[in-house]
Amino acid sequence: MAKEVLNALDVAKTQWYHFTAIIIAGMGFFTDAYDLFCISLVTKLLGRIYYHVDGAPKPGTLPPNVSAAVNGVAFVGTLSGQLFFGWLGDKLGRKKVYGMTLMIMVLCSIGSGLSFGHTPGSVMVTLCFFRFWLGFGIGGDYPLSATIMSEYSNKKTRGAFIAAVFAMQGFGILAGGIFAIFMAAIFKAKFDSPPYAVDPLGSTVPQADFVWRIIVIVGAFPAALTYYWRMKMPETARYTALVAKNTAQAAADMSKVLQVEIQAEPEIEVKKKYGLFSKEFLSRHGLHLLGTSATWFLLDIAFYSQNLFQKDIFSAVGWIPPPQTMNALEEVYKIARAQTLIALCSTVPGYWFTVALIDRIGRFAIQLMGFFFMTVFMFALAIPYDHWTHKDNRIGFVVLYSLTFFFANFGPNATTFVVPAEIFPARFRSTCHGISSAAGKLGAIVGAFGFLYLAQNKDKSKADAGYPAGIGVQNSLIVLGVVNILGFGFTFLVPEANGKSLEEMSGENEEEVEEIEANEELEQAHSDNQRTDSLV
């Protein structure tokens, strides 16, 4: 019985240690976002460097299969990592696996930037190899960070703490954009060159190859800085008490870090609990797992379509000039500036609105509201799309586009991360979060690959080189609006966890009562048998 330890955690005052845990777990997410999204800042530069075609009217672009691989391979790795490390976190404990994911991220960030060779084939193959394993490490961070934060938190502020870890993504996206602006500006000042239209070959200076490599490698530093602190964190008391069944150790660990005196209760032998693939799990949590997985899957189709292809949308409405009017470094600068502005004005504030309000108005309300407004703004962009392409209306387009980001982050992008860490039993918590987040990454893959092809011009002659005709940006935005409506509907499968303890939400309190009753029945039967034996 671990009730004393868990109650002490639920009512513990917010302390310095809680904020330390947010920073340690949050720096992982800062790195995740930097690593996943920095590639979208440099894909056009990679096209210019490695896929230049002499005499072409426009700069080189990555062929469709290469672009899909470079953008999507990290997501495939992330999906694999979420499932594997989610499972491992429940088997071995959160702490043992937590440093492993960080080291993978550090080594593969460096490997991505050092992608070997100078031929397009060798550079792209090694870049994709390292980005797959980078994604694998990032994938492990999702279930482990969410589970660790939920298990350390008190009942009152748990939602805000888990959301704050996830909100560090916003700063990661922002940092990627700012650093790319900084690098492009330095190299542009030192190695200026004419636009592509004036000198196709000279517009991409040889030194531009360093720019993308430096941007990619820098993602290793924030992860490396927090490795030591991750190793110093004790195992979460909930895992130690409920899964490892060592209540005395759990009490000792928590007394140390939370400055509260916790008395461990004697441990009682318990009957075997139901497993993940049991009928009982299905009846208790099957719909919950469907709800958390489906909402995350649908959200990420919309969210990653928008995020990875901001540069294409900005080009379509003329916010970024035609590529032939710029040199390579100028293009990186303009793309990074546009993405940074969106992150600063909508992405980052959206995350922190969630942190501020999630424990007041609840997860359910925020998620419904987010999906609703994302749908509204998608349709507001899509239906009068021709209106937005006119030069005078472009600012209006960018404002509405920013609002879809704001309500993704003050909405389902944050809540889909928080809820799976709260509603499943401790022994499945990391696994179920891994399954839910992997469903999200499957949505990201659909969004990244699907949007790449869908958003192409309906006229094949106007589509990007190598791409078939698509349905155009307008129809793609309508499809994303419909996806958001489905997300709104699936939200009704997910229970509200606001103000409740993890054990109350997961049904572990009921399990404990059932265990006590079962033990009492066993003891009663045992004493009855003894009485019968003595009478005989």
Side-chain angles (χ1 to χ4, degrees):
M1 276 174 65
K3 218 163 191 173
E4 281 294 313
V5 177
L6 305 183
N7 285 346
L9 282 172
D10 279 335
V11 298
K13 286 194 180 79
T14 299
Q15 296 173 26
W16 180 244
Y17 186 75
H18 287 121
F19 294 108
T20 311
I22 289 171
I23 292 164
I24 295 167
M27 283 313 284
F29 267 88
F30 176 94
T31 310
D32 296 351
Y34 182 98
D35 288 337
L36 281 179
F37 294 114
C38 71
I39 199 70
S40 67
L41 299 165
V42 298
T43 43
K44 295 224 171 186
L45 178 61
L46 290 170
R48 283 185 184 241
I49 296 170
Y50 296 108
Y51 292 91
H52 171 76
V53 179
D54 283 330
K58 286 183 179 179
T61 56
L62 296 181
N65 58 338
V66 176
S67 181
V70 168
N71 279 306
V73 73
F75 293 150
V76 178
T78 306
L79 189 155
S80 317
Q82 284 161 335
L83 292 171
F84 176 71
F85 287 114
W87 168 78
L88 207 60
D90 283 334
K91 282 277 168 264
L92 301 182
R94 304 11 172 163
K95 190 210 164 166
K96 280 183 184 162
V97 186
Y98 209 27
M100 213 187 293
T101 60
L102 212 56
M103 279 321 296
I104 293 171
M105 284 155 62
V106 170
L107 295 172
C108 294
S109 285
I110 295 167
S112 299
L114 296 176
S115 294
F116 318 118
H118 289 288
T119 64
S122 63
V123 172
M124 293 304 147
V125 167
T126 49
L127 178 62
C128 288
F129 173 81
F130 283 115
R131 279 191 68 76
F132 172 84
W133 290 108
L134 173 67
F136 191 69
I138 288 171
D141 229 38
Y142 275 73
L144 293 168
S145 290
T147 302
I148 284 170
M149 207 61 236
S150 76
E151 291 181 347
Y152 271 134
S153 302
N154 59 37
K155 197 158 60 174
K156 197 174 162 195
T157 55
R158 187 179 63 237
F161 285 168
I162 306 171
V165 168
F166 195 61
M168 296 296 279
Q169 269 203 335
F171 290 130
I173 294 169
L174 193 60
I178 291 170
F179 187 68
I181 290 172
F182 181 66
M183 289 309 301
I186 288 175
F187 274 77
K188 191 168 162 294
K190 187 92 173 133
F191 309 103
D192 203 9
S193 58
Y196 183 88
V198 175
D199 180 358
L201 204 56
S203 68
T204 306
V205 292
Q207 292 81 0
D209 195 49
F210 292 118
V211 174
W212 74 267
R213 293 176 185 274
I214 293 167
I215 290 170
V216 169
I217 283 178
V218 161
F221 291 104
L225 291 173
T226 49
Y227 181 77
Y228 170 77
W229 298 108
R230 277 201 182 184
M231 292 296 88
K232 295 268 285 184
M233 288 174 100
E235 183 55 86
T236 73
R238 281 188 158 91
Y239 183 86
T240 308
L242 293 169
V243 185
K245 300 291 179 201
N246 189 343
T247 317
Q249 184 64 49
D253 286 346
M254 286 304 98
S255 297
K256 228 182 286 173
V257 295
L258 289 178
Q259 285 99 45
V260 285
E261 216 30 70
I262 304 172
Q263 293 304 315
E265 295 178 13
E267 286 154 39
I268 294 173
E269 193 61 40
V270 295
K271 67 182 173 69
K272 189 157 174 59
K273 296 179 175 182
Y274 65 86
L276 181 64
F277 299 106
S278 64
K279 279 185 183 167
E280 194 167 347
F281 177 85
L282 202 61
S283 66
R284 287 182 187 230
H285 297 293
L287 281 178
H288 297 163
L289 189 56
L290 175 64
T292 56
S293 302
T295 49
W296 208 334
F297 171 76
L298 293 161
L299 161 82
D300 273 7
I301 291 176
F303 185 72
Y304 280 89
S305 298
Q306 285 174 278
N307 234 322
L308 280 172
F309 301 105
Q310 278 184 34
K311 59 188 183 300
D312 301 316
I313 288 171
F314 290 145
S315 299
V317 296
W319 231 47
I320 294 172
Q324 60 270 32
T325 64
M326 299 180 281
N327 65 39
L329 295 170
E330 198 177 347
E331 188 173 41
V332 173
Y333 180 86
K334 293 270 171 68
I335 292 167
R337 190 179 64 178
Q339 291 203 25
T340 303
L341 200 59
I342 292 285
L344 198 59
C345 299
S346 62
T347 309
V348 172
Y351 281 120
W352 291 98
F353 264 76
T354 303
V355 174
L357 296 172
I358 192 166
D359 289 313
R360 294 186 191 179
I361 61 178
R363 293 81 167 128
F364 185 73
I366 288 178
Q367 189 158 310
L368 279 183
M369 178 197 68
F371 271 127
F372 174 78
F373 282 112
M374 283 169 76
T375 308
V376 168
F377 292 121
M378 283 287 187
F379 286 141
L381 288 173
I383 294 163
Y385 182 72
D386 290 336
H387 166 82
W388 297 119
T389 55
H390 297 198
K391 200 165 187 179
D392 298 344
N393 306 325
R394 284 169 183 168
I395 297 298
F397 179 94
V398 174
V399 168
L400 284 183
Y401 183 68
S402 301
L403 282 168
T404 62
F405 271 108
F406 177 79
F407 282 105
N409 295 316
F410 180 33
N413 195 36
T415 54
T416 51
F417 178 79
V418 173
V419 175
E422 300 183 303
I423 63 175
F424 298 107
R427 62 191 183 279
F428 311 132
R429 189 168 288 136
S430 178
T431 304
C432 288
H433 196 287
I435 292 167
S436 304
S437 52
K441 275 298 162 285
L442 190 60
I445 293 165
V446 170
F449 293 142
F451 198 79
L452 191 65
Y453 286 89
L454 281 181
Q456 292 299 323
N457 201 298
K458 291 181 203 173
D459 180 349
K460 171 103 175 66
S461 63
K462 292 181 182 171
D464 289 347
Y467 286 87
I471 60 172
V473 174
Q474 178 177 18
N475 291 333
S476 299
L477 290 170
I478 290 172
V479 169
L480 296 183
V482 172
V483 165
N484 289 328
I485 293 171
L486 291 172
F488 184 91
F490 274 103
T491 298
F492 287 93
L493 294 177
V494 182
E496 176 58 80
N498 198 18
K500 295 176 182 171
S501 76
L502 293 178
E503 290 66 45
E504 195 182 338
M505 279 312 300
S506 63
E508 281 166 302
N509 281 347
E510 293 164 39
E511 283 182 48
E512 197 159 294
V513 170
E514 286 166 16
E515 281 163 13
I516 293 165
E517 285 171 358
N519 283 325
E520 283 170 356
E521 280 172 28
L522 279 171
E523 281 168 21
Q524 185 65 46
H526 184 62
S527 63
D528 288 350
N529 286 340
Q530 281 182 325
R531 202 175 298 122
T532 309
D533 290 346
S534 64
L535 284 171
V536 169

